Amino acid sequence: MSGEAVFWTGADWSPEASDALVLADAETQQTALDAALAREDVVVGPYLAAVSEDGGALVRLRETIRTLGPTIRTDLGKQAEAQAA
Amino acid sequence: MYQYDAHDREMIRERTAQFRDQVERRISGALTEEEFKPLRLMNGLYLQLHAYMLRVAIPYGVLSANQMRTLADIAEKYDRGYGHFTTRQNIQYNWPKLGDVPAILDDLGAVEMHAIQTSGNCIRNVTTDVFAGVAADEAGDPRPVAEAIRQWSTFHPEFTFLPRKFKIAIAGSRADRAATKLHDIGLIMVRDANGVVGCEVSAGGGQGRTPMIGKVIRDFIALADLPPYLEAIMRVYNLYGRRDNKYKARIKILVHELGVDAFKEAVEAEYARIDNASVAIADAEWTRIASFFSPPAYEDLADEDLGALATQVDDGRFARWLTHNVEAHQRPGYAAAVASLKPIGGVPGDATDEQMRILADLADEFSFGELRVSHAQNIGFPNVPQHRLPALWARLEAAGLGEANHGLATDIICCPGLDYCALATARSIPVAQAISNKFSDPARQATIGPLPIKISGCINACGHHHVGAIGVLGLEKNGVENYQITLGGQADGAGAVGQVVGAGLAAAEVPEAIDRVVDRYLDVREDGETFIDTYRRVGRDAFKEVIYAAA
């Protein structure tokens, strides 16, 4: 209920981007997305976010910012929670 | 300031209770997100990149000290200790939790505030000049008119499901410091041949992906007849506005596609059909509303010698603040002062809860307890005795609010951009910060003179880049942030949409490119010309060539 971004691990939703499941082919991607869309009581607006070939990095800056927080306030968002932890 | 009556209080109470129930049902799952979304939007609650975002209405930018204290308390208790003031004179909180929002609305309700109609396809906050009611050049005070429009448009059952959002702005003078030509309906207060105050009405202005300057559709409408006339415009829009395509659903598209003459005809025909008496503001009600905006208990003061005043504080920054941040007032001996929320290198328009409390205290001590929020994202003190300006500035300066940059190159209008907003295609704030740092030298800013720089992080133009003398639009090109420069935009007067100069630039290139543009202006300007004057005279190419000159 915080409105924060969460990431599908394969089993459940985690607030940590590092827990995210990387899906390599279109079919498993669509299956996972359909399953998430069917459960909008759990999460709102699920979508697939592109990652690099080795699965290591998000392609779009938008998605990276989502995993971190505002770039101009590194004391806010997930990046701050990671610091505090 | 307007004070709620029993009706107003009851409406807010009921609305908050209704939303509390909706939130509970959303959390329990009884309401799906699809069902909840339009409801939360009507209460100003967005979902953004990191969290929910709550946009609180500050009607026509007028705020009491007490209200500002509540905004500070909300920032501290429910958010992360700060708020962001917007280009529509509202405040945004970036980190509320869904479950806390009803409590936030309760706290707002206790000081006669709310988040109603700050989002959704309805009539939004009516905006006006930051110094409405005190500016020296007004034909009339826009505040009571804005309040009347607010009452007419709040919960209006006929206009709750418009094709798209609807924004109205009103200016008290032709100087138009409210960007009225860039609004769905723009109103400029004028006097007719008999000295009766009314409004010139324009329609179909807007920014976003298809910027358009509003067209005058009526030279004069008496104030009392304004609600029925607005009703006529809204009915024409509601009936004929496109609902098939979200990107063609604003009234500007309708005015453009019909043509202004046909649109005007349709409005006049509808206006003729409306039973004025049922919609117009009754004289008694008009008097009641206007009574809340009568002048405060001004003392009898004489105008000060501002040059002498400047010497009272042994700090060149104060002399500059007097020059740039203080506006002429209707009342002798008084001034309207701008507290800058644009510290050099800072986030434009943000204030901490501590700063908000200081602003509230200063309002009580220096400005009859009243503050203003500017659409340029600064805070105004509308009624400061001139002889107290030194003391006011010293306190602002101590709180990091004393930058002497009102209207200058570092007084940048900037949207939240990709750092916060789910709609954004690029970051805007870091670009604003870099430009601010580039132009930090106060002497250089003074030499340059007025230079509105406006930055948007996407095509929706919440940063008003189309009407910046220098505009910056952040896009995404091949996954990388790319910035388009526009020149020659103008929010005041007849209004003008800026011209794109050419291919977009990388983020790092933007401050230097703007620096070269400014250098070119300084090279070719003639006596007394501001940047926009010179631009109009010499044209785009003189500037385009320096932007793309080999580094």
Side-chain angles (χ1 to χ4, degrees), chain A residues 1-5 40-41 43-44 59-62 65-73 75-77 81, chain B residues 26-27 33 47-52 80 82 95-98 418-420 422 427 429-430 433 476 481:
Chain A
M1 293 293 116
S2 62
E4 68 177 305
E40 285 221 55
D41 54 322
V43 293
V44 166
V59 169
R60 288 185 76 196
L61 175 59
R62 181 184 193 270
I65 289 179
R66 226 172 187 156
T67 68
L68 292 172
T71 64
I72 40 81
R73 288 290 302 269
D75 58 322
L76 298 172
E81 289 154 34
Chain B
R26 175 73 188 96
I27 291 175
E33 179 62 18
L47 255 184
Q48 298 221 294
L49 287 182
H50 313 294
Y52 285 95
R80 303 292 164 88
Y82 72 105
W95 308 91
K97 292 193 170 15
L98 178 61
L418 191 57
D419 281 304
Y420 287 101
R427 285 173 296 166
I429 298 172
Q433 292 174 309
E476 186 185 3
E481 291 168 310

Side-chain angles (χ1 to χ4, degrees), chain A residues 72, chain B residues 48 55 84-88 92 94 342 346-350 375-377 412-433 453-465 472-475 483:
Chain A
I72 40 81
Chain B
Q48 298 221 294
R55 180 181 296 149
H84 173 75
F85 291 96
T86 77
T87 53
R88 301 220 75 244
Q92 290 180 176
N94 293 302
K342 319 289 181 67
V347 177
D350 278 13
H375 86 270
Q377 305 170 295
I412 298 168
I413 291 183
C414 183
C415 74
L418 191 57
D419 281 304
Y420 287 101
C421 182
L423 302 174
T425 40
R427 285 173 296 166
S428 51
I429 298 172
V431 176
Q433 292 174 309
I453 299 178
K454 307 187 185 184
I455 306 177
S456 304
C458 84
I459 199 96
N460 289 301
C462 302
H464 289 197
H465 68 276
V472 181
L473 169 61
L475 299 169
Y483 295 88

Side-chain angles (χ1 to χ4, degrees), chain A:
Chain A
M1 293 293 116
S2 62
E4 68 177 305
V6 291
F7 307 88
W8 181 244
T9 67
D12 56 22
W13 294 97
S14 164
E16 315 260 345
S18 53
D19 293 341
L21 179 66
V22 177
L23 300 161
D25 69 272
E27 207 183 306
T28 52
Q29 287 164 7
Q30 195 58 48
T31 307
L33 182 59
D34 289 341
L37 285 165
R39 291 303 307 281
E40 285 221 55
D41 54 322
V42 179
V43 293
V44 166
Y47 60 93
L48 295 164
V51 293
S52 53
E53 283 286 330
D54 62 2
L58 287 157
V59 169
R60 288 185 76 196
L61 175 59
R62 181 184 193 270
E63 312 310 338
T64 301
I65 289 179
R66 226 172 187 156
T67 68
L68 292 172
T71 64
I72 40 81
R73 288 290 302 269
T74 54
D75 58 322
L76 298 172
K78 293 182 187 296
Q79 61 205 343
E81 289 154 34
Q83 284 265 340

Side-chain angles (χ1 to χ4, degrees), chain B residues 299-349:
Chain B
E299 296 170 63
D300 268 318
L301 299 175
D303 278 332
E304 299 278 327
D305 173 352
L306 292 185
L309 209 62
T311 62
Q312 278 189 29
V313 179
D314 184 20
D315 193 327
R317 283 168 65 80
F318 174 63
R320 280 191 289 273
W321 190 81
L322 264 189
T323 304
H324 301 299
N325 285 44
V326 173
E327 302 281 337
H329 198 283
Q330 289 171 8
R331 182 87 187 182
Y334 280 83
V338 176
S340 173
L341 294 185
K342 319 289 181 67
I344 301 302
V347 177

